Amino acid sequence: MSLKEQITEDMKNAMRAKEAGKLGTIRLLLAEIKRKEVDERIELTDAHVTAIVEKMIKQRKDSITQFEAGGRADLADIEKAELVHLAGYMPAGLSDEEVAAEVAAAVAASGAAGPQDMGKVMAIVKPELAGRADMTVVSALVKKALTPAA
């Protein structure tokens, strides 16, 4: 079963169970998937759907930060609940050691010699780790691996 089909099934189950919060989150996700399919006139793969989920998770995290800074704990709680529902559609995350090993392998495979080769390494590592690791952390690890020790 594809990820999109799983999300649709989860929506039906949420409707039957009368889980309003989960249902709303899933409907937002399906609307975003449909928008992307219509705009680009393509059938989305699991990788595309994962990218959409990842983007929505990032939006929720940003919103939570803003709401908490503004003293709106009620709105932050809603965003946190949506975040939990969305996180269920992400593939299992990698440990820090696994991410570091992937970065080291990408550095070796690209033959990168310094910070100027960061783009080459990221081009190799991004498709491998997309959705399974925080790309800002991956970017920092690549930068650290390419920067010579002083």
Side-chain angles (χ1 to χ4, degrees), residues 11-45:
M11 181 182 74
K12 292 175 187 175
N13 293 334
M15 289 169 117
R16 288 183 194 113
K18 298 186 183 346
E19 297 172 322
K22 185 174 184 178
L23 181 61
T25 303
I26 293 172
R27 283 183 171 159
L28 285 172
L29 177 57
L30 285 172
E32 187 64 23
I33 290 169
K34 188 69 171 172
R35 186 194 63 76
K36 184 94 166 169
E37 286 180 335
V38 170
D39 287 353
E40 297 184 13
R41 294 186 173 99
I42 58 170
E43 185 71 26
L44 295 182
T45 63

Side-chain angles (χ1 to χ4, degrees), residues 90-118:
M90 292 299 292
L94 296 176
S95 70
D96 293 340
E97 295 80 24
E98 291 170 319
V99 172
E102 286 283 341
V103 168
V107 169
S110 68
Q116 70 275 10
D117 295 327
M118 187 166 174

Side-chain angles (χ1 to χ4, degrees), residues 120-133:
K120 289 182 192 176
V121 177
M122 287 302 289
I124 293 171
V125 82
K126 189 169 183 175
E128 295 293 321
L129 300 178
R132 300 187 311 153

Side-chain angles (χ1 to χ4, degrees), residues 2-105:
S2 74
L3 185 56
K4 186 176 155 187
E5 291 168 346
Q6 177 63 44
I7 293 168
T8 304
E9 283 301 311
D10 287 350
M11 181 182 74
K12 292 175 187 175
N13 293 334
M15 289 169 117
R16 288 183 194 113
K18 298 186 183 346
E19 297 172 322
K22 185 174 184 178
L23 181 61
T25 303
I26 293 172
R27 283 183 171 159
L28 285 172
L29 177 57
L30 285 172
E32 187 64 23
I33 290 169
K34 188 69 171 172
R35 186 194 63 76
K36 184 94 166 169
E37 286 180 335
V38 170
D39 287 353
E40 297 184 13
R41 294 186 173 99
I42 58 170
E43 185 71 26
L44 295 182
T45 63
D46 281 354
H48 289 108
V49 174
T50 301
I52 290 171
V53 173
E54 193 172 21
K55 179 181 173 191
M56 291 180 76
I57 286 174
K58 185 177 186 310
Q59 290 171 341
R60 297 304 174 279
K61 287 179 179 177
D62 291 344
S63 296
I64 290 168
T65 304
Q66 293 295 318
F67 287 141
E68 287 176 346
R72 294 296 308 263
D74 55 331
L75 296 175
D77 291 342
I78 293 170
E79 295 291 320
K80 287 176 186 174
E82 289 182 1
L83 184 64
V84 169
H85 297 306
L86 290 171
Y89 298 113
M90 292 299 292
L94 296 176
S95 70
D96 293 340
E97 295 80 24
E98 291 170 319
V99 172
E102 286 283 341
V103 168

